[in-house]
Amino acid sequence: MGTDIRVHQVYAGRVLQGAGARALVPDEIERLGAQRVLLVAAPSSAEGTQDLATALGERYAATFGRPAQHSPVEVTAEALAVAREVRADAIVAIGGGSAIGLSKALAIRTGMPQVAVPTTYAGSEVTPVLGETENGVKTTRRDPAFAPGTVVYDPELTLSMPRGLTLTSALNALAHAVEALWDTEASAATRAYAVEAADGILSALPVVLGRLSDVAARARLQEAAWLAGACLAQARMGLHHQLAHVLGGTFGLPHAELHALLLPHVMRFNLVAATDAAARLARVADGDPTHAVAALAAMHEGPTTLGALGLPRAALREVAERVAASPYPNPRPVTADAVEGLLLAAWRGELVR
């Protein structure tokens, strides 16, 4: 039997998509037969959370409103205590990757079903992946039980995203698609998702940045982020995600901004050795994809370099050695010297060849 066999598995059982879709969340809870719903909510989603609590009526049990980036285990313990106190039997997560990550962490510990209502473009809502942080170390696990059973995409919930988060969150999603394209074991379906996701993000993001209230463009961006998340669910993540996990987990750097500023540097490093991915991205970018992504990343009004983000220059070698010691699959060899050079370019904000 040949060894070149690919497996493609879809995780989210139901996806509800469209403006106003959030109104169907109570129906999903009724379909699950749940009676005591714990809302896991980002502080930025307070208004939508209150509306959802009202709509759930007697099925609403409590809200845990303090999720944290990189899913620290001590925060999960706090939320778990609340869930047990109110006898929750289902979770609805509303917010970005932090809220959805906490929901996954609770679900794996309790077996409760999840409904995810993303308000950013993180994409984690359609993945069986969870990264948890303990004692400054971020560990990533895959398990089908992590994936929410229902995902509700309502572009109206993204309208309150500020310009900066809109940009960095979308580039975070793009990173999932880009790494799927250079994964040699990705399936044809995953590559198709990745190309469509990249096309949607590169075409819709400039429109949204120019007019944040454009619901149609935000719907296109949200759809692209969904497909990019589906890539993350299937493909092996490479150097980009390894760097983001080490930097984020160890130094507490903001997740979306970190992905956004790293992406063009990792693309510059890898695409010379990933010719098929480079060709596919060049078609949707209508030119050099690294330049296209770098130009978008440079539009961020916040930090655009690792130095500005707060990473000490002295930490670059340590990070490079950690990444090189346990590299993910990657188109180019991952050595400590090569990674340090990439990190130095990202620390300075200078793309290198």
Side-chain angles (χ1 to χ4, degrees):
M1 182 181 291
T3 58
D4 189 20
I5 298 173
R6 294 167 174 80
V7 176
H8 185 85
Q9 181 173 342
V10 177
Y11 289 96
R14 288 166 63 84
V15 174
L16 311 181
Q17 181 190 17
R22 63 190 182 278
L24 299 179
V25 170
D27 294 341
E28 289 300 299
I29 294 300
E30 183 175 2
R31 188 181 64 83
L32 292 169
Q35 300 298 321
R36 305 282 297 169
V37 177
L38 175 68
L39 298 184
V40 173
S44 58
S45 302
E47 183 178 350
T49 303
Q50 184 56 54
D51 290 345
L52 187 52
T54 300
L56 286 169
E58 293 182 354
R59 286 188 168 91
Y60 168 72
T63 297
F64 185 88
R66 301 184 303 280
Q69 291 193 93
H70 311 299
S71 300
V73 294
E74 57 270 21
V75 174
T76 300
E78 293 177 22
L80 186 59
V82 173
R84 287 171 173 163
E85 180 182 355
V86 301
R87 305 186 310 280
D89 61 359
I91 310 164
V92 174
I94 178 168
S98 297
I100 291 166
L102 177 55
S103 176
K104 291 179 176 183
L106 292 173
I108 201 68
R109 288 164 169 81
T110 65
M112 285 192 288
Q114 307 173 72
V115 175
V117 188
T119 62
T120 69
Y121 307 118
S124 61
E125 64 277 356
V126 288
T127 75
V129 179
L130 174 64
E132 293 184 287
T133 304
E134 185 172 12
N135 298 324
V137 177
K138 188 170 184 177
T139 303
T140 301
R141 292 185 289 158
R142 282 179 176 261
D143 188 318
F146 285 136
T150 300
V151 179
V152 178
Y153 288 111
D154 188 334
E156 292 177 347
L157 290 176
T158 68
L159 290 173
S160 61
M161 289 177 69
R163 186 178 187 277
L165 181 58
T166 296
L167 171 60
T168 58
S169 180
L171 292 182
N172 180 7
L174 181 60
H176 307 331
V178 168
E179 288 225 295
L181 282 174
W182 59 48
D183 177 13
T184 57
E185 295 186 7
S187 71
T190 300
R191 289 194 298 272
Y193 290 168
V195 170
E196 180 63 18
D199 185 33
I201 292 168
L202 292 175
S203 60
L205 181 55
V207 178
V208 172
L209 293 176
R211 187 166 178 262
L212 294 175
S213 61
D214 190 325
V215 176
R218 282 197 177 270
R220 173 75 166 120
L221 196 55
Q222 191 177 55
E223 181 179 65
W226 164 24
L227 296 176
C231 292
L232 180 62
Q234 299 292 333
R236 301 172 304 169
M237 295 294 101
L239 176 60
H240 176 90
H241 281 77
Q242 174 76 329
L243 285 168
H245 289 164
V246 171
L247 288 165
T250 304
F251 299 96
L253 303 181
H255 186 78
E257 285 182 304
L258 185 58
H259 275 279
L261 71 86
L262 281 175
L263 184 57
H265 297 283
V266 180
M267 290 174 66
R268 173 67 75 208
F269 181 83
N270 270 342
L271 286 178
V272 295
T275 54
D276 182 73
R280 292 173 190 265
L281 288 169
R283 287 195 293 271
V284 298
D286 196 24
D288 184 334
T290 301
H291 282 162
V293 174
L296 285 170
M299 294 173 68
H300 184 39
E301 295 170 357
T304 58
T305 70
L306 285 177
L309 206 59
L311 182 70
R313 168 68 176 83
L316 299 187
R317 185 66 189 181
E318 173 196 345
V319 173
E321 289 177 350
R322 285 180 58 185
V323 169
S326 57
Y328 288 23
N330 199 66
R332 285 182 63 180
V334 177
T335 66
D337 287 345
V339 175
E340 186 178 18
L342 185 162
L343 288 170
L344 182 58
W347 192 83
R348 292 172 172 166
E350 301 171 355
L351 278 176
V352 296
R353 292 191 177 275

